[in-house]
Amino acid sequence: MSEKKNPNTGGAIIGLLVAIGAIWYFFGGGLEKQTAKDLNKIEQQVAADAVKQYEIAKRSGTAIDAYVHAGLVAAAYLQAQDESNYRKWKAIEKQEATRAGVPTE
């Protein structure tokens, strides 16, 4: 008499492996790492959008508009924890303040 293997055994093993993988991903930090990566990408996009808005304000707005938007760009880079761009935009903000006649320090 020959033994018959249960055809559901293969599906059960695959299901078990998928469940173990999902548990490892969610509880092993995979989800947190992906979330942090996505958040960083969003923060960089916000900063890039702020730069575009500054450029529009500089072309079409007043000196005060350019000054304010330069400050918003600096704040966006601060939020993104991008120190080099933050410093660069703080310097631009200061230049725009001088151009707009706003006293600095």
Side-chain angles (χ1 to χ4, degrees):
M1 195 166 156
S2 67
E3 290 182 35
K4 287 189 173 182
K5 290 187 175 183
N6 187 348
N8 291 330
T9 304
I13 291 172
I14 291 173
L16 181 62
L17 291 175
V18 168
I20 290 171
I23 290 169
W24 174 81
Y25 182 77
F26 287 110
F27 294 108
L31 185 60
E32 290 175 14
K33 289 176 187 174
Q34 185 63 40
T35 301
K37 184 178 175 183
D38 290 345
L39 183 58
N40 185 298
K41 185 177 177 181
I42 290 167
E43 290 170 340
Q44 289 296 326
Q45 184 60 50
V46 167
D49 290 344
V51 170
K52 290 176 187 175
Q53 292 170 358
Y54 163 78
E55 291 168 352
I56 292 169
K58 186 157 174 87
R59 274 194 317 270
S60 304
T62 65
I64 293 289
D65 292 333
Y67 162 63
V68 169
H69 279 82
L72 293 173
V73 174
Y77 280 117
L78 179 63
Q79 180 67 33
Q81 298 177 6
D82 184 339
E83 191 171 344
S84 63
N85 277 315
Y86 169 72
R87 287 180 184 190
K88 171 186 166 185
W89 280 95
K90 284 306 281 185
I92 292 171
E93 179 185 21
K94 190 172 182 177
Q95 292 170 354
E96 293 295 350
T98 301
R99 200 177 121 222
V102 176
T104 58
E105 296 179 40

